[in-house]
Amino acid sequence: MSTRFRMATNPWRLRLARPGLRWLLGLGLFLGLQASRSAAFYLPGLAPVNFCEASRETATCKSTVALFVNRLDSVESVLPYEYNTFDFCKDSEKRNPSENLGQVLFGERISSSPYKFPFNRTGTCIKVCVKSYDTANDDQEKKLAFLRKGIRLNYQHHWIIDNMPVIWCRNTGDGTKCCTPGFPIGCFITKSGESKHACLIHPEFNKSNIYFLFNHVDITIAYHEDSGRNGGFARLVSARLEPQSYKHSGEGRLACNGPPMEIPEEHTEKFNVTYTYSVQFEENKSIKWASRWDYILDSMPHTNIQWLSIMNSFVIILFLSGMVAIIILRTLHRDIIRYNEMSSSEDAQEDFGWKLLHGDVFRPPRSRMLLSVFLGQGTQVLIMTFITLLLACLGFLSPSNRGALMTCAVVLWVLLGTPAGYVSARMYKTLKGVKWKTNFLLTALLCPGVVFADLFFMNVILWVEGSSAAISFGTLIGILAMWCGISVPLTFVGAYFGAKKKFRFPVCTNQIPRHIPQQSFFTKPLFGIMIGGILPFGCVFIQLFLILNSIWSHQMYFMFGFLFLVFIILLITCSEAAVLLCYFYLCAEDYHWWWRAFFTSSFTAVYLLIYTVHYFFTKLQITGTASAILYFGYTMVMVLIFFLFTAL
């Protein structure tokens, strides 16, 4: 006579998923509205700066608008370079604003520039500096060659005024207006006469095998003046520019017109490049300081398409989650009711399917040490991601607070060593492991060590290439100190308390393992794991495309509300897919479910890797071996992090 136990069949408990989905839908609509209005959110810690004319300058009102420069990057190269690496005009009184950890890790290098404008004073064709190039001078020849390389790879300037990116707007071929927070150094035309990059919108650039340098900018700064609230002072609300190319005939009388500034592929004569600018101020009464980022977000390319795609993805995600939940509820509900209707031993039938495995279902798996380590690290990454995205969608980590997102993520990861150690040690103890100290060391060092080794290898490449993204030796020592001095001890504390407890199982495990019958193709591990990873990946691939664009195409990502919602639905879908496939395994009388449940959801990372490879060859224009190595190196870090938190 088989051992039987009775199960509760409260219908309200089985229908919790439906109100949960309605609550999730309401949360999605709320976060979506928050995402659409995030630009108008007043970010704590960033106070507005007042500007006024020189005659009214005070301690709380500046009369000079300073322009800062950031690193230069390109969609054709992963290697960013500092502004001063190129031979541009430099500030004689160079000042570097303090940078946080996130800016350093992302390679941002903000410094002052010689571009300084008296507030509300129009300037026309003002000289900044003159650069001379002579082929007889090796140093000048190298600088010119590097400048040509920057133009050929379409490197982009990134200028900042009052903590706002200066944007460049131009008309596209279909008649729409496209704005980007950067503008190119120049453009060039190949030997065959093919126009590249910005030369496509300048028909006057028509000479073959010539580089055209944008040595002049027309800057327009808009300000908002509200005498009732800020004492009559002005606050800047937008900054735009239009790059131009002019070959100035002489330094005495500059005229910003005429033929473009040409740099031939091969030259033998000495020539000068004069950098100039024109600036004008205009009052804008419709845009206020609190919503001044709206013009940047609204003018970003593909913004309208993003909204349509995200809403479409949101509907698909809800459909998939509802389908998985209904299958689980109906199947389990039917089995439990039929099992509980057996009121007497006469009505009892021979157990079948998953009910035969109650004595083997909690049998410890192979490689229990590695499984518990992955679960602990996944817990750490999961909590870190959840808190970071929550703060971002609330507006505390908006794009105006540069580097805050990465800084928050790193600090949270360091401080969340205790949950990682606790979960790993307790799971290892539950699986009858006895080497808890080894478990602690692997939890604290294995996955972080892999990430650090990968980043260190890529940092060596950045050092060799002279990129601004290269992390200094002192910063590396600081990161190691945070890891070994804070994260590792906190992991030990969690492991110490976790090793004293274990999860309690409702049934005992038989001493003799049960024989597993022959499995069909559909119940074999590989098929189920591959199918289980498709549903979670379908939830995130649209957001993944937008995130990859923001990273590699240097576009701003600001829809953190939708990203947080997709993150929550991703976790729900991963859990439901793992539970559903585990149920099928158990119905086939196969109790080796531990690692299969782990890989069912974490296999989504494999699809992520495949998609990033597809994105590299179809969407990007990256050239060079170093850039390709860096792309796949950073991709492996992303895949590992995604693998860990989806496995939970």
Side-chain angles (χ1 to χ4, degrees):
M1 184 174 179
S2 61
T3 304
R4 299 175 60 244
F5 51 91
R6 199 165 188 85
M7 300 182 184
T9 58
N10 188 343
W12 293 104
R13 294 183 180 178
L14 295 174
R15 293 187 178 92
L16 283 176
R18 294 179 183 176
L21 289 177
R22 289 197 295 268
W23 176 86
L24 190 60
L25 178 60
L27 176 62
L29 294 176
F30 170 76
L31 292 176
L33 292 175
Q34 289 297 320
S36 65
R37 301 180 58 188
S38 61
F41 185 83
Y42 182 82
L43 185 67
L46 291 181
V49 179
N50 297 324
F51 290 92
C52 58
E53 297 180 2
S55 59
R56 301 175 55 198
E57 183 177 8
T58 62
T60 59
C61 182
K62 296 182 178 180
S63 62
T64 302
V65 179
L67 186 147
F68 289 85
V69 292
N70 203 345
R71 65 177 186 177
L72 284 82
D73 51 36
S74 170
V75 296
E76 299 185 14
S77 175
V78 184
L79 301 169
Y81 289 100
E82 193 173 354
Y83 176 84
N84 291 330
T85 305
F86 292 89
D87 192 28
F88 298 133
C89 299
K90 298 177 176 59
D91 188 11
S92 59
E93 300 176 357
K94 182 180 178 181
R95 293 180 293 109
N96 295 324
S98 59
E99 298 169 341
N100 54 41
L101 180 60
Q103 290 177 287
V104 173
L105 295 179
F106 270 124
E108 291 195 9
R109 300 294 183 267
I110 301 176
S111 62
S112 59
S113 74
Y115 296 87
K116 297 177 176 61
F117 322 116
F119 177 74
N120 207 15
R121 182 184 300 176
T122 300
T124 303
C125 204
I126 300 176
K127 185 182 73 173
V128 182
C129 71
V130 178
K131 295 293 182 179
S132 300
Y133 299 100
D134 188 358
T135 55
N137 189 312
D138 293 338
D139 183 59
Q140 294 181 3
E141 180 64 24
K142 290 180 180 179
K143 292 180 179 179
L144 184 60
F146 193 71
L147 186 61
R148 288 199 196 97
K149 177 183 176 182
I151 297 175
R152 186 169 60 252
L153 294 178
N154 196 27
Y155 269 84
Q156 306 274 322
H157 285 283
H158 293 279
W159 289 2
I160 302 169
I161 291 179
D162 192 29
N163 199 37
M164 289 188 306
V166 183
I167 66 171
W168 170 45
C169 297
R170 70 274 187 193
N171 295 323
T172 59
D174 56 359
T176 59
K177 195 174 185 179
C178 178
C179 299
T180 55
F183 67 97
I185 298 175
C187 64
F188 79 105
I189 299 180
T190 63
K191 292 182 180 180
S192 60
E194 180 184 2
S195 299
K196 291 290 187 178
H197 312 308
C199 287
L200 295 172
I201 59 176
H202 288 275
E204 65 274 16
F205 299 167
N206 50 21
K207 293 184 179 180
S208 301
N209 201 25
I210 294 294
Y211 294 85
F212 296 93
L213 177 67
F214 291 133
N215 60 332
H216 175 86
V217 288
D218 293 322
I219 303 175
T220 302
I221 302 175
Y223 63 91
H224 178 85
E225 190 172 0
D226 189 354
S227 58
R229 299 189 60 182
N230 53 12
F233 299 139
R235 293 173 180 174
L236 306 186
V237 294
S238 70
R240 306 174 187 267
L241 62 75
E242 184 69 29
Q244 304 289 349
S245 179
Y246 297 125
K247 185 176 182 180
H248 300 289
S249 57
E251 300 181 21
R253 298 180 59 184
L254 297 176
C256 293
N257 52 38
M261 183 64 217
E262 301 174 359
I263 301 178
E265 178 68 36
E266 297 179 358
H267 73 284
T268 57
E269 298 179 357
K270 180 180 179 181
F271 68 95
N272 298 331
V273 176
T274 303
Y275 289 89
T276 57
Y277 73 89
S278 298
V279 61
Q280 63 177 352
F281 291 81
E282 59 183 25
E283 185 177 2
N284 190 317
K285 297 183 179 180
S286 60
I287 302 177
K288 296 185 178 181
W289 185 89
S291 58
R292 64 179 185 165
W293 279 75
D294 286 353
Y295 84 102
I296 299 175
L297 305 183
D298 293 340
S299 61
M300 293 295 291
H302 312 302
T303 300
N304 296 328
I305 299 177
Q306 288 179 10
W307 281 99
L308 180 61
S309 301
I310 290 174
M311 293 306 297
N312 182 47
S313 176
F314 179 70
V315 174
I316 295 175
I317 290 168
L318 288 182
F319 171 75
L320 293 176
S321 301
M323 182 182 65
V324 174
I326 290 173
I327 292 175
I328 294 174
L329 291 177
R330 286 185 176 179
T331 306
L332 286 179
H333 188 251
R334 184 174 60 250
D335 284 349
I336 293 173
I337 289 179
R338 184 173 65 245
Y339 194 72
N340 287 338
E341 285 177 350
M342 302 176 188
S343 57
S344 62
S345 59
E346 290 79 8
D347 298 332
Q349 301 177 6
E350 184 179 357
D351 290 339
F352 64 93
W354 59 272
K355 294 179 284 295
L356 292 171
L357 304 179
H358 60 83
D360 295 275
V361 70
F362 294 112
R363 188 176 302 280
R366 299 176 182 177
S367 304
R368 70 192 77 176
M369 175 75 76
L370 189 61
L371 178 63
S372 60
V373 168
F374 282 159
L375 292 177
Q377 282 292 321
T379 303
Q380 186 177 14
V381 175
L382 177 64
I383 299 175
M384 175 201 73
T385 307
F386 176 83
I387 297 177
T388 302
L389 292 180
L390 180 62
L391 293 176
C393 77
L394 291 177
F396 290 95
L397 304 178
S398 69
S400 60
N401 197 359
R402 304 175 186 277
L405 187 71
M406 177 60 71
T407 302
C408 178
V410 172
V411 172
L412 285 174
W413 179 83
V414 170
L415 298 179
L416 289 172
T418 301
Y422 180 83
V423 171
S424 179
R426 185 167 182 177
M427 180 57 67
Y428 183 65
K429 181 75 173 180
T430 302
L431 299 178
K432 301 179 181 180
V434 295
K435 300 179 180 179
W436 73 273
K437 295 180 181 179
T438 304
N439 175 264
F440 145 69
L441 290 176
L442 289 176
T443 304
L445 303 177
L446 179 60
C447 294
V450 172
V451 173
F452 185 82
D454 183 275
L455 294 178
F456 181 80
F457 173 73
M458 291 186 292
N459 201 57
V460 171
I461 297 177
L462 294 172
W463 275 337
V464 173
E465 296 291 337
S467 172
S468 65
I471 303 174
S472 64
F473 182 75
T475 304
L476 286 176
I477 295 299
I479 295 175
L480 277 175
M482 293 173 61
W483 176 21
C484 299
I486 301 177
S487 180
V488 173
L490 290 177
T491 305
F492 175 79
V493 172
Y496 177 78
F497 289 101
K500 294 183 178 181
K501 297 181 180 180
K502 64 180 181 179
F503 297 100
R504 296 182 179 273
F505 296 142
V507 294
C508 298
T509 303
N510 296 333
Q511 294 183 354
I512 301 176
R514 180 181 177 83
H515 173 70
I516 300 176
Q518 183 70 26
Q519 300 294 308
S520 65
F521 173 77
F522 298 101
T523 57
K524 288 185 178 180
L526 183 59
F527 178 80
I529 290 172
M530 293 178 64
I531 294 298
I534 293 178
L535 291 178
F537 181 76
C539 299
V540 300
F541 80 96
I542 293 180
Q543 287 292 328
L544 178 63
F545 173 76
L546 303 178
I547 293 174
L548 291 178
N549 273 347
S550 68
I551 295 175
W552 304 115
S553 298
H554 313 293
Q555 299 179 8
M556 287 188 180
Y557 188 89
F558 55 91
M559 293 185 177
F560 292 108
F562 282 107
L563 181 61
F564 180 73
L565 174 64
V566 171
F567 171 75
I568 297 298
I569 298 178
L570 171 65
L571 297 182
I572 296 174
T573 308
C574 287
S575 303
E576 291 174 344
V579 171
L580 178 63
L581 290 174
C582 280
Y583 173 78
F584 291 151
Y585 295 144
L586 296 179
C587 287
E589 301 182 23
D590 188 351
Y591 52 83
H592 295 309
W593 63 274
W594 292 92
W595 278 107
R596 295 181 188 180
F598 182 88
F599 284 118
T600 295
S601 55
S602 64
F603 200 80
T604 310
V606 177
Y607 293 110
L608 170 62
L609 177 61
I610 296 173
Y611 184 78
T612 54
V613 174
H614 166 77
Y615 183 86
F616 177 82
F617 288 104
T618 60
K619 303 296 182 181
L620 297 181
Q621 304 172 351
I622 291 179
T623 58
T625 304
S627 295
I629 294 175
L630 290 172
Y631 173 85
F632 287 105
Y634 288 122
T635 297
M636 294 309 298
V637 174
M638 294 171 53
V639 170
L640 176 60
I641 294 175
F642 199 76
F643 169 81
L644 290 175
F645 81 76
T646 53
L648 293 178

